[in-house]
Amino acid sequence: MNRIVFLLLISIFYQSGFAQQDGYWDKDRATTKEIIVSARDRIVIKTDDFPIGTTELIYRITLLDDNQKMAGSLVSLLKAIPDPTGISQGSAGAVFLLSRISGEDKSKYAIFSSNELALAYQKSGKMNQACLAQETPLSKDAKRLSIDKSSCLKNTTGNLWFGFESSNWIMKQKIILEVVPWVDAKLSRGWTLENRKFIINQCKTSALARKLANSDDFCICIEEKIQKKYKFQEFQSLLAIEQAKVYKDNGESCINESSVSNGVYIDLRNQALNFAKKGEYGRSIEAYARIINDGKSTALDYSNIGFGYIVTKQYGKAIKFLKEGEKLDDTELLVKLNLAHAYLLNDEFRNAKSIYKEYQSQNVNDSVSWAQKIKQDFAVFKKAGIQGDDFDRVLKLLAH
């Protein structure tokens, strides 16, 4: 026995030098209870609350005779083990975790994931609803439970219930129960799958997200930033107005990040174009204005907002924005053409005429000529109720 323990200690210290530290044994929230079980009695013990992020636990059960004391606590033994894998390296691990002191008494025990199941066991003695049952009486036992492999941890709400049945029909029994949780450092921040979904779904209801055709990348960006700064419980404890500010501040940051930014402004442009197709030019102007105010605009954005101002008879604003578009790209003919339209409808025929004539031999894109685009635009203006006296005059000018 001494040789086995010695070899195990060497193995544990070797592992501690190379193990990846991604969590810790939470000795502050370990359960250590001395239980007195009357002869032929059953008793149920609830563990202390497991910390958020508990993915493993070790428990040890030791039955002692009167006046016996434990040689060493489970917590002290686990200090030498850096992670849960260290206690599962063969049978030696179980030997090491077992107390070398135990009495002659033995006890059956079972573990339950809810108080209701535990109380049902206490009344009936049936272990069929236990997540782990030890039906052969033992004087000592120790096991590791993992959330990946044990239904006990999968189904618990933060505690386990240990039920003991005395095998001594005459004398009372003394049982020492020790439970130590292993806390995953990342999960301890409370960012479970459900909690991450909660933040993303809450983001999608925000005014900014609703303006985006696809807000997934935007909301994931916000969720990641909140996750880095706060534990989930810390974020939940903020006032509603404080949470709203966190969403707003992180939203502005995410908008400025290129990976999210590109998608956001593509969505805004698509929305603006769809509004224009439906004749909702006011909403189209709002979308382009946001792109421009955020400093993400192109010459075509200025061309399109200028066209929207023309159709809504805001010619002064159209001229202002179209001139800004010229500064971005003096070769973009759609900007030039819309500027000519704005001059024409603002009773500045001379300025309009010089532009119409200067580019009449060119195409505005690879398939539409300057003259064709003018005719199309004039048709849109007339449909919007804009009756320009000089429309025919311009068309005749281009025919010569």
Side-chain angles (χ1 to χ4, degrees), residues 64-82:
L64 300 177
D65 290 336
D66 285 343
N67 300 321
Q68 275 189 304
K69 294 184 179 181
M70 298 293 292
S73 72
L74 181 58
V75 167
S76 65
L77 296 179
L78 291 174
K79 285 180 179 178
I81 304 176

Side-chain angles (χ1 to χ4, degrees), residues 153-257:
L153 280 182
K154 282 181 182 177
N155 299 325
T156 184
T157 56
N159 305 90
L160 289 177
W161 286 258
F162 282 72
F164 296 95
E165 181 177 345
S166 172
S167 296
N168 190 323
W169 282 41
I170 301 173
M171 305 293 290
K172 65 184 179 182
Q173 293 181 320
K174 184 196 295 185
I175 301 175
I176 305 296
L177 172 64
E178 300 168 280
V179 183
V180 185
W182 169 267
V183 180
D184 181 288
K186 186 176 181 180
L187 294 180
S188 68
R189 295 181 60 80
W191 290 107
T192 63
L193 177 62
E194 289 303 314
N195 290 342
R196 297 200 304 275
K197 285 181 179 178
F198 172 80
I199 296 296
I200 291 172
N201 291 336
Q202 197 171 48
C203 164
K204 284 179 174 290
T205 65
S206 66
L208 181 55
R210 286 199 299 267
K211 293 179 180 179
L212 307 179
N214 185 353
S215 60
D216 288 352
D217 289 347
F218 173 72
C219 287
I220 289 173
C221 175
I222 289 179
E223 178 263 323
E224 288 175 346
K225 289 184 181 297
I226 292 175
Q227 190 177 155
K228 284 181 180 179
K229 187 173 181 180
Y230 298 95
K231 290 183 177 181
F232 180 73
Q233 293 73 22
E234 292 173 344
F235 182 75
Q236 285 291 85
S237 67
L238 296 177
L239 297 174
I241 191 171
E242 293 173 323
Q243 289 188 10
K245 186 176 187 303
V246 171
Y247 279 112
K248 179 177 179 294
D249 292 345
N250 285 298
E252 291 173 354
S253 176
C254 286
I255 287 293
N256 292 326
E257 292 183 10

Side-chain angles (χ1 to χ4, degrees), residues 9-178:
L9 283 171
I10 293 175
S11 172
I12 287 171
F13 284 112
Y14 176 81
Q15 290 162 12
S16 69
F18 297 96
Q20 184 69 32
Q21 293 286 348
D22 57 357
Y24 58 93
W25 294 110
D26 194 335
K27 63 181 186 299
D28 294 329
R29 281 177 280 190
T31 298
T32 302
K33 296 190 178 183
E34 182 176 307
I35 310 147
I36 303 298
V37 185
S38 301
R40 294 178 290 177
D41 198 7
R42 283 187 294 273
I43 192 169
V44 170
I45 301 299
K46 178 184 178 183
T47 66
D48 293 338
D49 294 344
F50 298 142
I52 294 170
T54 297
T55 57
E56 319 263 345
L57 65 80
I58 297 296
Y59 70 86
R60 182 171 69 171
I61 297 168
T62 310
L63 276 75
L64 300 177
D65 290 336
D66 285 343
N67 300 321
Q68 275 189 304
K69 294 184 179 181
M70 298 293 292
S73 72
L74 181 58
V75 167
S76 65
L77 296 179
L78 291 174
K79 285 180 179 178
I81 304 176
D83 63 60
T85 61
I87 56 87
S88 60
Q89 307 298 323
S91 60
V95 173
F96 183 70
L97 289 173
L98 289 175
S99 170
R100 285 179 290 168
I101 296 181
S102 64
E104 295 179 357
D105 278 347
K106 295 181 180 182
S107 173
K108 299 177 183 179
Y109 74 88
I111 305 176
F112 300 89
S113 57
S114 74
N115 185 48
E116 291 74 20
L117 296 176
L119 292 178
Y121 155 78
Q122 190 174 16
K123 291 178 181 178
S124 68
K126 295 179 180 178
M127 297 183 176
N128 57 310
Q129 297 191 78
C131 56
L132 189 151
Q134 178 57 51
E135 299 188 61
T136 302
L138 298 171
S139 63
K140 55 189 176 182
D141 201 7
K143 282 186 174 64
R144 167 197 176 210
L145 301 180
S146 165
I147 198 169
D148 296 325
K149 298 178 181 179
S150 169
S151 61
C152 292
L153 280 182
K154 282 181 182 177
N155 299 325
T156 184
T157 56
N159 305 90
L160 289 177
W161 286 258
F162 282 72
F164 296 95
E165 181 177 345
S166 172
S167 296
N168 190 323
W169 282 41
I170 301 173
M171 305 293 290
K172 65 184 179 182
Q173 293 181 320
K174 184 196 295 185
I175 301 175
I176 305 296
L177 172 64
E178 300 168 280

